[in-house]
């Protein structure tokens, strides 16, 4: 609907079909991909015809960019992707978004971790954990880079205000947790036991590729660029983040 004579200082695109709501059938993966690439293509078309270009374009992405191979090394923005579906999706999405740079628009790629807020992933975890039915997933050794909602907003504002930032930026807290530690911390905050693990085989049977990539895999992604630019996290500690949200 944008004609080209409207003006925006900043465009932030977080559009996309929820990636973890349905099993990844071929048709669902097509919907997930099209929802991200389609909106980005539409925005690029707007940028081309805009009389006055935005100063900044912030395009959504995810830490799924870094793939699924197991690693305990810190992964900063220089990390590479792999051939997994989530990684390939993020690579395509980011490459498309970067075309905004040809119009002189500074472009930031927001690689988000698990956002902790009133909805989203935490809302799905809370019901079983409140009933004392929570537990680690698989081995529990996979990393779960997380971030409080307030800090992802803070990193978006950092991208807007700091002209030195462009390209990928990890939107994760500085202290990522393994799944087993995340589980224990959530149980502690809720004052509930966490004795019921979900075996990896059950995840694979119930959720297929989606479960394997999103729940059984995870890397130790750290916010190197945000820290280098002096961002001060409001919630660097997982327990305090969960207390803030749940209370």
């Amino acid at each position: 609907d944008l004609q080209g004579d409207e003006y925006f200082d900043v465009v932030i695109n977080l559009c996309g079909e929820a990636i973890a709501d349905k099993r990844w059938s071929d048709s669902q993966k097509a919907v997930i991909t099209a929802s991200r690439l389609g909106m980005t293509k539409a925005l690029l078309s707007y940028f081309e015809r805009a009389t006055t270009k935005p100063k900044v374009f912030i395009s959504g992405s995810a830490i799924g960019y870094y793939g699924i191979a197991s690693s305990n090394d810190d992964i900063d923005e220089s990390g590479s992707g792999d051939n997994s579906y989530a990684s390939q999706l993020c690579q395509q999405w980011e490459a498309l978004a970067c075309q905004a740079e040809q119009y002189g628009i500074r472009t930031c790629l927001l690689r988000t971790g698990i956002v902790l807020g009133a909805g989203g992933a935490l809302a799905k975890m809370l019901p079983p954990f409140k009933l004392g039915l929570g537990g680690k997933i698989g081995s529990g050794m996979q990393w779960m880079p997380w971030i409080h909602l307030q800090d992802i907003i803070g990193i978006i504002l950092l991208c807007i205000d700091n002209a030195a930032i462009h390209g990928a930026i990890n939107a994760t807290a500085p202290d990522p947790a393994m799944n087993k530690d995340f589980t224990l911390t959530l149980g502690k905050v809720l004052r509930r036991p966490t004795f019921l693990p979900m075996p990896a085989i059950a995840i694979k049977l119930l959720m297929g590729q989606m479960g394997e990539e999103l729940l059984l895999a995870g890397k130790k992604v750290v916010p190197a660029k945000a820290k280098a630019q002096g961002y001060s996290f409001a919630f660097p500690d997982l327990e305090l983040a969960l207390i803030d949200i749940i209370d």
Side-chain angles (χ1 to χ4, degrees):
D1 294 334
L2 298 175
Q3 300 305 308
D5 55 353
E6 308 89 349
Y7 175 63
F8 305 96
D9 292 295
V10 182
V11 173
I12 305 169
N13 177 26
L14 305 178
C15 288
E17 171 82 3
I19 199 165
D21 279 2
K22 298 178 182 178
R23 190 182 178 98
W24 287 352
S25 63
D26 288 343
S27 60
Q28 180 62 11
K29 285 195 283 188
V31 169
I32 291 170
T33 300
S35 68
R36 285 157 174 75
L37 302 190
M39 177 59 74
T40 305
K41 288 176 182 177
L43 286 170
L44 288 169
S45 178
Y46 162 70
F47 295 156
E48 182 179 20
R49 66 179 179 269
T51 305
T52 305
K53 314 299 185 190
K55 293 183 176 69
V56 187
F57 176 39
I58 298 174
S59 184
S61 186
I63 58 171
Y65 175 94
Y66 300 110
I68 60 175
S70 178
S71 173
N72 286 325
D73 296 331
D74 287 358
I75 305 296
D76 63 17
E77 287 83 357
S78 66
S80 58
D82 63 14
N83 291 322
S84 62
Y85 170 68
S87 180
Q88 289 292 305
L89 172 64
C90 290
Q91 291 178 59
Q92 291 179 66
W93 197 9
E94 291 187 9
L96 189 61
C98 284
Q99 292 182 25
E101 294 174 341
Q102 68 184 302
Y103 304 115
I105 302 170
R106 180 167 60 89
T107 300
C108 300
L109 308 166
L110 196 68
R111 293 178 181 167
T112 59
I114 299 168
V115 180
L116 301 181
L122 186 60
K124 295 178 181 179
M125 298 179 204
L126 285 177
F129 273 82
K130 285 181 176 179
L131 293 171
L133 302 176
K136 68 180 182 179
I137 297 173
S139 70
M141 300 297 288
Q142 66 274 32
W143 290 94
M144 291 180 62
W146 58 275
I147 186 168
H148 190 288
L149 179 61
Q150 185 173 325
D151 280 316
I152 197 167
I153 293 170
I155 289 177
I156 289 172
L157 293 173
L158 180 74
C159 291
I160 292 171
D161 295 334
N162 193 327
I165 299 177
H166 62 90
I169 182 166
N170 291 337
T172 60
D175 189 18
M178 285 185 171
N179 173 262
K180 63 183 181 65
D181 299 318
F182 188 100
T183 295
L184 289 172
T185 304
L186 181 55
K188 177 182 177 183
V189 170
L190 292 171
R191 299 182 179 86
R192 295 291 188 277
T194 53
F195 299 139
L196 295 175
M198 176 69 78
I201 187 64
I203 293 292
K204 294 176 182 179
L205 288 172
L206 290 171
M207 301 180 184
Q209 184 184 7
M210 188 250 297
E212 291 185 55
E213 290 196 18
L214 300 186
L215 299 180
L216 297 175
K219 291 191 172 183
K220 192 181 180 184
V221 180
V222 295
K225 190 175 286 188
K227 290 178 69 176
Q229 293 298 328
Y231 181 72
S232 179
F233 283 82
F235 292 95
D237 179 81
L238 176 60
E239 183 174 348
L240 295 180
L242 289 171
I243 289 171
D244 178 74
I245 294 160
I246 292 168
D247 283 354

